[in-house]
Amino acid sequence: MPLFPHDFIDFIASSNQPLIMGIINVTPDSFSDGGLFLSTRKAIAHAKNLIDEGADILDIGGESTRPGSQYVNTDEELMRVIPVLEALADTGIPISIDTSKPEVMKHAIEAGAFMINDVNALCNPGALEAIAPHRHVQVCLMHMQGTPQRMQTNPQYKDVVSEVKYFLQQRIQAANAAGIALNRLVVDPGFGFGKTLQHNLSLLNQLNEFTTLGTPILAGLSRKSMLGAITGNNIDQRLHESVAAALLAVIKGAKIVRVHDVKASKAALAIYNALRDCDSQFDQ
Ligand code: 7PJ
């Protein structure tokens, strides 16, 4: 049973409750764990934890898109994400699949994915066509400058907010032209994807600018190096700054926050919700 009505995007656009998307990575590291079988089991157990902690959506990724990460082929990516997706089908939690590959999109949709989260904004050949016929499937269009391998080398913008916004506007138009209606789309400025700290801060500070695109905004800041660049903390010690960033993103207009730390983010957003509900003047 899906938790959300069919018109999910209309639902979140009209709801003032921000949603929490919990992150599940299925990226076996041959140096530190027992390969694919073990990482599948770990991912499923982790997903169940995040559901217990109150995640509204889970985002499952089989291809790391961190700066400098390596390409994963289609078969390998399918072997990583599909068993996890299938194992979670009876939980009823809406599942998003973090992929840029049309082949993975198609299989994921067949296996019950409710959202495709594409850091490449459906730019890959065949991606728009893979999504368009499945009218119940939502899409997150994210901005990235360059490719994960090289994007942090020397990112450059004249005006980061208007350039990212223009790109997302173009991708919305491309999606619409391919038959993917506006009410199936979410946009994301892509924090850390081909951006310096200053670019990321400008995007967060002016996140509200993206509301005029007419779609809900998703923001992913969790544990990112931009946070470590400010606090000096390592990736596994960025809980506090991640929660602060998620809360700020929501205050600036994000409707979905993509986070590792569901329980802590949920508690922070409960305070936000309480404040918003007690005072209609609260400035979103
Ligand atoms: C994002 C993502 C993000 C969306 C990743 C990481 C890198 N998808 N996938 N937005 N980041 N939509 O989690 O550090 O910011 S992978």
Side-chain angles (χ1 to χ4, degrees), residues 25-194:
N25 287 316
V26 201
T27 45
D29 171 356
S30 51
F31 298 105
S32 68
D33 69 22
L36 185 58
F37 177 70
L38 207 68
S39 42
T40 304
R41 284 210 338 216
K42 270 191 184 160
I44 295 165
H46 186 48
K48 291 189 172 163
N49 263 338
L50 296 192
I51 296 171
D52 289 345
E53 290 184 4
D56 299 298
I57 308 170
L58 291 179
D59 188 41
I60 302 174
E63 179 188 31
S64 174
T65 41
R66 307 196 78 81
S69 58
Q70 292 303 309
Y71 179 81
V72 174
N73 73 37
T74 302
D75 287 346
E76 173 70 20
E77 198 179 325
L78 282 169
M79 285 194 298
R80 292 179 183 185
V81 298
I82 300 296
V84 180
L85 177 52
E86 285 172 345
L88 297 173
D90 64 357
T91 62
I93 187 112
I95 308 263
S96 156
I97 297 293
D98 190 341
T99 189
S100 296
K101 296 189 184 73
E103 226 20 63
V104 176
M105 293 174 187
K106 284 182 202 158
H107 282 87
I109 291 169
E110 263 172 44
F114 128 101
M115 177 182 275
I116 299 296
N117 171 25
D118 186 359
V119 299
N120 226 359
L122 304 184
C123 288
N124 282 359
L128 288 164
E129 295 79 0
I131 304 279
H134 305 281
R135 304 177 68 91
H136 62 289
V137 174
Q138 322 295 319
V139 182
C140 177
L141 300 170
M142 197 199 80
H143 174 273
M144 166 163 52
Q145 186 180 84
T147 61
Q149 290 74 34
R150 303 170 58 99
M151 65 193 178
Q152 289 306 100
T153 308
N154 188 19
Q156 295 207 355
Y157 302 85
K158 286 202 180 73
D159 176 343
V160 66
V161 174
S162 52
E163 285 172 51
V164 171
K165 190 172 169 185
Y166 179 76
F167 170 84
L168 292 172
Q169 177 73 64
Q170 297 296 304
R171 295 316 298 157
I172 290 171
Q173 277 175 18
N176 291 165
I180 307 169
L182 191 65
N183 68 0
R184 294 172 58 193
L185 299 173
V186 172
V187 296
D188 181 341
F191 291 102
F193 285 83

